[in-house]
Amino acid sequence: MKRYPIAVIGGDGTGPEVVREAVKVLDATAARFNFGLDYTYFDFGGERYLRTGEVLPDTAAHELRAFPAILLGAIGHPNVKPGILEKGILLRLRFELEQYINLRPVKLFDARFCPLKDKRPEDIDFVVVRENNEGLYTGAGGFVFKGTPHEVAVQESVNTRRGVERCLRYAFDYARRRRAQQPWQGLRPDDLAAGRKAQLTLCGKTNVLTYAFDLWERAFHEIGAAGYPDIKRDYAHVDATTMWFVKNPEWFDVIVTDNMFGDIITDLGAMIQGGMGIAAGGNINPQGTSMFEPIGGSAPKYTGLGVINPLAAICAGQMLLEHLGETQAATAIENAVVGVVRGKLASLAAGKMGFSTSQVGDLVAASL
Ligand code: IPM
Ligand code: MN
């Protein structure tokens, strides 16, 4: 029997509670599909920092490299100044483990939970491929004359040819792979007639960020033309992208974008798929250790109440299995989640589901 070592970081707030349910569902799935998962727990997070003064041990990334995948609950503690844990744990791991892709599926499971009028599950089904190691997130920049009336703050967006190209290639490959399982999202009849089977939208701001997105745009068309004739290349400015997420989400198939724009548009994406209760993401190093997380944060006010929705963490578990190559098992989790969302839950919001956190985990595990 195949066994996979999995690192688990429950983290802060409701993180450990939702991770418990994800592990419950993962174990039930592994039993059914005949593979094993061996968990190693790490206590990184706000509690540990307040106790020891250390945000992340210097050995952490090295230890985590021994695992093909990490399941992360949430990072963020009400008694720790914003920025310390986010930068010191989440961003540091993304960078040190070279998780250069942040993958965020935006998929509506039930029209009842969509805030948009008249949108159905078949209208909201796309994936955002966010660059995860560069852009405005590198920390490049600084202050001059800080604290004086003349102070200057510069925060630079770093876009390397290598970093942009590897992200674009991942996105083109992903769009091609996805086509095997999906309907013809985003494509019109003339595209299909011309043999285009998938669509990749570059989301940028070429009209203002004329250096950064010039590089992105050139690389996008070079790589696409040379290696991906089957994929339709599409472009949208980031501001227009947010408009179309609301107006015409059915236009999108796969979207590729930089770190900052990806951060922003995926929160909007989470809302149109039903909210933070269901939204999951993966920080992916295709050759190394990847990290999967519910994207909703630590929700401290719900900690310990058993009311938080564990489905986002369960969907992160589904992405983790997909990443390990346990495709059938991953599909089984998704189908079980869809069944529970459509058939049982009154809402996807914390405290309004009609079930407790662990009951929702039980429901998914039972319907695998
Ligand atoms: C996310 C989060 C993080 C980000 C924060 C917590 C640093 O918002 O995963 O999208 O900005 O990337
Ligand atoms: Mn974010």
Side-chain angles (χ1 to χ4, degrees):
M1 186 169 73
K2 202 156 182 188
R3 303 200 70 89
Y4 303 94
I6 305 294
V8 182
I9 306 172
D12 300 317
T14 52
E17 294 166 53
V18 295
V19 155
R20 203 173 302 132
E21 301 313 309
V23 166
K24 182 192 284 177
V25 171
L26 283 171
D27 281 339
T29 316
R32 222 200 102 188
F33 288 88
N34 213 32
F35 60 90
L37 298 165
D38 302 310
Y39 306 100
T40 304
Y41 286 82
F42 293 84
D43 67 351
F44 309 143
E47 289 300 334
R48 180 198 155 103
Y49 169 61
L50 292 171
R51 207 174 57 239
T52 66
E54 184 179 57
V55 183
L56 191 72
D58 287 333
T59 52
H62 178 70
E63 280 177 53
L64 289 168
R65 272 193 204 102
F67 299 85
I70 305 167
L71 182 64
L72 171 68
I75 297 292
H77 195 289
N79 300 339
V80 180
K81 205 175 129 216
I84 295 183
L85 301 171
E86 292 86 341
K87 277 187 151 173
I89 301 178
L90 191 59
L91 297 185
R92 188 167 165 203
L93 288 178
R94 286 177 182 173
F95 287 12
E96 288 192 8
L97 296 172
E98 270 201 78
Q99 294 163 341
Y100 62 85
I101 298 297
N102 193 311
L103 190 66
R104 300 222 167 144
V106 176
K107 196 164 179 175
L108 176 66
F109 291 149
D110 186 328
R112 282 184 299 150
F113 305 132
C114 182
L116 306 178
K117 193 155 69 68
D118 299 333
K119 294 297 177 191
R120 304 147 302 165
E122 50 276 38
D123 297 320
I124 301 181
D125 184 1
F126 59 86
V127 177
V128 178
V129 175
R130 163 185 171 189
E131 201 291 322
N132 211 31
N133 278 177
E134 302 195 335
L136 283 166
Y137 277 68
T138 63
F143 290 111
V144 192
F145 310 127
K146 189 177 176 188
T148 76
H150 302 284
E151 78 176 322
V152 180
V154 176
Q155 193 100 37
E156 287 160 325
S157 176
V158 174
N159 299 266
T160 69
R161 186 78 192 196
R162 165 180 170 269
V164 169
E165 279 195 3
R166 67 184 178 179
C167 176
L168 290 169
R169 281 186 206 287
Y170 182 92
F172 276 114
D173 285 334
Y174 187 90
R176 191 179 269 171
R177 271 204 312 278
R178 172 179 149 89
R179 186 53 51 215
Q181 309 136 14
Q182 299 286 331
W184 309 103
Q185 195 85 13
L187 289 169
R188 321 231 158 85
D190 51 325
D191 294 320
L192 295 173
R196 289 183 285 259
K197 298 195 171 71
Q199 174 180 271
L200 181 63
T201 303
L202 172 64
C203 165
K205 190 73 186 174
T206 52
N207 52 348
V208 176
L209 305 181
T210 51
Y211 310 126
F213 280 99
D214 187 74
L215 190 161
W216 274 86
E217 198 179 32
R218 278 182 287 115
F220 180 62
H221 290 298
E222 281 165 27
I223 292 172
Y228 302 89
D230 50 325
I231 296 171
K232 179 183 176 183
R233 275 170 275 141
D234 177 43
Y235 174 81
H237 292 319
V238 62
D239 47 351
T241 302
T242 63
M243 179 176 80
W244 285 323
F245 271 21
V246 173
K247 207 166 166 284
N248 295 101
E250 65 278 8
W251 284 357
F252 294 108
D253 180 7
V254 180
I255 299 171
V256 63
T257 191
D258 83 348
N259 209 341
M260 187 80 259
F261 291 166
D263 178 47
I264 296 166
I265 66 173
T266 54
D267 266 25
L268 180 54
M271 287 304 116
I272 66 173
Q273 75 182 116
M276 289 302 182
I278 193 82
N283 300 278
I284 297 190
N285 175 340
Q287 288 87 40
T289 302
S290 298
M291 179 163 74
F292 299 87
E293 53 175 341
I295 74 170
S298 60
K301 69 177 176 187
Y302 297 121
T303 306
L305 302 179
V307 297
I308 194 81
N309 188 345
L311 288 178
I314 291 169
C315 290
Q318 177 247 316
M319 293 181 74
L320 183 152
L321 291 186
E322 180 92 53
H323 183 75
L324 293 177
E326 294 292 344
T327 317
Q328 280 188 309
T331 306
I333 295 183
E334 181 168 320
N335 291 339
V337 169
V338 172
V340 169
V341 168
R342 291 194 185 152
K344 309 273 187 193
L345 298 196
S347 163
L348 297 177
K352 298 181 183 155
M353 300 182 290
F355 297 92
S356 71
T357 303
S358 73
Q359 283 173 329
V360 173
D362 291 340
L363 285 171
V364 176
S367 50
L368 280 165

